[in-house]
Structure formats: C-alpha cells, structure tokens
Amino acid sequence: MTAVTDLTAFVYREARLLDEHRFDEWLQLFAPDGRYWMPLEYGQTDRRLTASLMDEDLFLLRLRVERLKGNRTYSQKPKSRCHHVLQQPQVDVFEPQADRYVVWTSMHYLETRLDQHDLYAAWATHELTVIDGALRIRMKRVDLVNCDAAFGSIQLFL
C-alpha cells in the first residue's frame, strides 16, 4: 500500500535522477501512457487546443534523452547540468483504492552550461498511479511562474 511518505520520496528521487543525468532510470518512472507537459500560459487547462512549451509522450521523451546522450549533439558539448531545489511536496489527492495520487511541489531549477546560468521558478504537479506495485508518472505538469516570458532553450527537464 502506498503511503504519503512514498509519494514525497518519489518526487525527491525523480529530481535526483534528473540532477545526476540518470535519464534512462528517470524514463522508467513514467507509465506507458505517461506525459510531460509544460504549459505556455498561466492557468492553462487544455494542452491540445493551446500551444505549450513542452507536451511530450514517452516516445518523445525517449527521443529527447537519446539526443542528450548522443555524441553528435554539439549543443551539449559540454553537457548542460541542472539542480532542483524543492520545497516539501504536498499531497493533494490520495486515493489508494483507485491507485490515484496527485502531488504538488514548488521548486527552483537551475540549468547551467559553460558560463550561462538559467534560473526558473516553477510548480510541478505529478499525477501518479501504481503499476505492478510501483509508483509511475501518468502526467508531470510543470508550470513556470513566468511562463509568458521569452525563453532561451531549456535543454533538460524541470
């Protein structure tokens, strides 16, 4: 049975996997129908009818990870690094009988490459389920506080 501490530990582990570039392990955290969504507009409710900064299924996430690992990805020489600073995750939905959980986390995210540093403030919402006894991400939504600003290229994952 899933406990609240399992949910918060899951969110912290996910951030650590990203910070350590353990992208293959990170991909395993997603359900087969999992998505990663970064809305373009504040309070955006529809990812299909409104443009998004990112809206990727598992196939597209795998492609992005393969690009990040590739030797011919010159925009990643040297590779970008990141650091997640998370507030304690808050459990908004806890429905073990339906294997449905929603966890909300406020965070700061730093991405750096050479002498360029990009700092983002964001809220992450993880919609989680249980598959074969393990927590999996059905949807990870990342809302940037200043989502309507002009951005450079976000290379990694918030």
Side-chain angles (χ1 to χ4, degrees):
M1 179 181 227
T2 301
V4 170
T5 54
D6 296 327
L7 301 174
T8 57
F10 182 92
V11 171
Y12 287 131
R13 176 166 171 67
E14 184 214 14
R16 181 175 179 179
L17 291 175
L18 290 171
D19 287 350
E20 294 178 353
H21 287 205
R22 293 162 57 187
F23 298 124
D24 291 323
E25 290 176 71
W26 176 70
L27 287 172
Q28 293 173 14
L29 299 180
F30 283 83
D33 61 345
R35 296 197 75 83
Y36 182 96
W37 180 34
M38 188 179 296
L40 178 63
E41 298 177 0
Y42 180 79
Q44 184 174 333
T45 59
D46 192 314
R47 63 180 179 76
R48 292 179 191 93
L49 298 176
T50 305
S52 299
L53 293 168
M54 292 184 200
D55 184 11
E56 301 181 353
D57 61 8
L58 199 50
F59 175 77
L60 289 174
L61 290 173
R62 283 189 183 114
L63 281 177
R64 184 185 290 263
V65 165
E66 288 305 312
R67 182 188 66 80
L68 288 170
K69 294 186 327 187
N71 289 330
R72 297 181 125 180
T73 308
Y74 298 105
S75 67
Q76 283 297 293
K77 291 193 183 291
K79 294 196 178 297
S80 297
R81 292 186 297 276
C82 66
H83 180 67
H84 292 76
V85 179
L86 308 179
Q87 287 186 352
Q88 181 171 337
Q90 304 295 308
V91 177
D92 289 343
V93 176
F94 187 84
E95 297 176 357
Q97 69 283 2
D99 286 331
R100 181 172 177 267
Y101 309 94
V102 178
V103 182
W104 180 90
T105 309
S106 181
M107 69 171 153
H108 286 154
Y109 170 82
L110 174 71
E111 189 170 293
T112 184
R113 184 173 166 273
L114 296 172
D115 60 353
Q116 180 175 340
H117 306 285
D118 296 310
L119 179 63
Y120 301 94
W123 303 286
T125 304
H126 289 77
E127 295 179 20
L128 305 173
T129 191
V130 175
I131 298 175
D132 296 328
L135 284 168
R136 296 288 178 250
I137 300 169
R138 190 163 307 282
M139 169 72 78
K140 180 177 180 182
R141 174 182 174 143
V142 177
D143 289 276
L144 295 176
V145 172
N146 63 334
C147 60
D148 42 9
F151 292 106
S153 179
I154 299 173
Q155 294 292 320
L156 304 176
F157 304 96
L158 273 73

